[in-house]
Amino acid sequence: MSAGDYILAINGVELKAPDNINRLLDGTANRQTSLTINDKPTMEGARSVTVLPVPSEQALRTRAWVESNRRLVEKLSDGQLAYVYIPNTGQPGYSSFNRYYFSQQDKKGAIIDERFNGGGSAADYIIDVLQRDYDGYFNNVAGIVIRSRVRPPASGVRR
């Protein structure tokens, strides 16, 4: 599908004005659904595609919002700052932190965004990671240096 394509039928039922497209999509979440589409509003030359509608677009909109923020921080900081969104301080939030933070640890700083945070436990893991000194540098065959803050905790030793 492309932007501007017309959806002409859903599961073989043609859409005609003034039909409400939601009527034909109701109950299709997580079920393969056939769309007949075309770049013009006619069945002649139309093709069929199979899609899997989501039950809610909230996760898609949140991902788009996060990526938009990440691109904005990248642009405004001239690539020097990381953007890390933490949706909550439960396991999904820690997974998001790990994904976004460690993939950008070569940056000079990080913006940690907890807006609209869904709650959870204390964020001591995140604070611990952010306070770590760099302990190692890794170099690959292409000559790209990767700095790492990851180190196993030293038992009984405090800095």
Side-chain angles (χ1 to χ4, degrees):
M1 291 185 71
S2 301
D5 278 352
Y6 292 88
I7 299 175
L8 304 172
I10 298 175
N11 289 330
V13 178
E14 283 191 48
L15 281 165
K16 296 190 185 240
D19 272 349
N20 180 340
I21 192 170
N22 293 320
R23 176 182 65 85
L24 297 177
L25 289 171
D26 191 31
T28 62
N30 296 318
R31 295 176 37 194
Q32 287 189 352
T33 302
S34 174
L35 303 179
T36 304
I37 61 171
N38 201 347
D39 60 357
K40 51 190 177 284
T42 176
M43 291 298 262
E44 185 178 329
R47 66 189 191 282
S48 181
V49 295
T50 301
V51 297
L52 192 67
V54 295
S56 169
E57 61 189 47
Q58 180 180 356
L60 298 173
R61 289 185 180 274
T62 298
R63 177 61 59 106
W65 177 76
V66 169
E67 286 303 311
S68 172
N69 290 337
R70 187 191 59 73
R71 285 189 301 273
L72 181 62
V73 168
E74 176 83 16
K75 177 183 173 187
L76 294 178
S77 72
D78 199 27
Q80 296 185 49
L81 296 177
Y83 173 81
V84 179
Y85 177 64
I86 303 173
N88 58 51
T89 48
Q91 190 56 48
Y94 294 133
S95 294
S96 177
F97 172 79
N98 288 336
R99 178 181 305 115
Y100 282 96
Y101 180 73
F102 288 112
S103 67
Q104 302 178 87
Q105 65 182 355
D106 60 328
K107 308 283 185 176
K108 292 185 177 182
I111 294 177
I112 310 298
D113 188 352
E114 287 193 285
R115 291 177 292 169
F116 315 112
N117 184 305
S121 12
D124 55 344
Y125 164 75
I126 293 168
I127 301 301
D128 176 55
V129 170
L130 293 173
Q131 289 179 333
R132 293 178 184 175
D133 293 327
Y134 286 120
D135 280 339
Y137 294 85
F138 301 92
N139 193 356
N140 62 20
V141 294
I144 299 170
V145 175
I146 301 168
R147 294 179 282 179
S148 176
R149 290 183 188 257
V150 180
R151 68 170 183 261
S155 59
V157 177
R158 294 208 174 249
R159 288 186 165 211

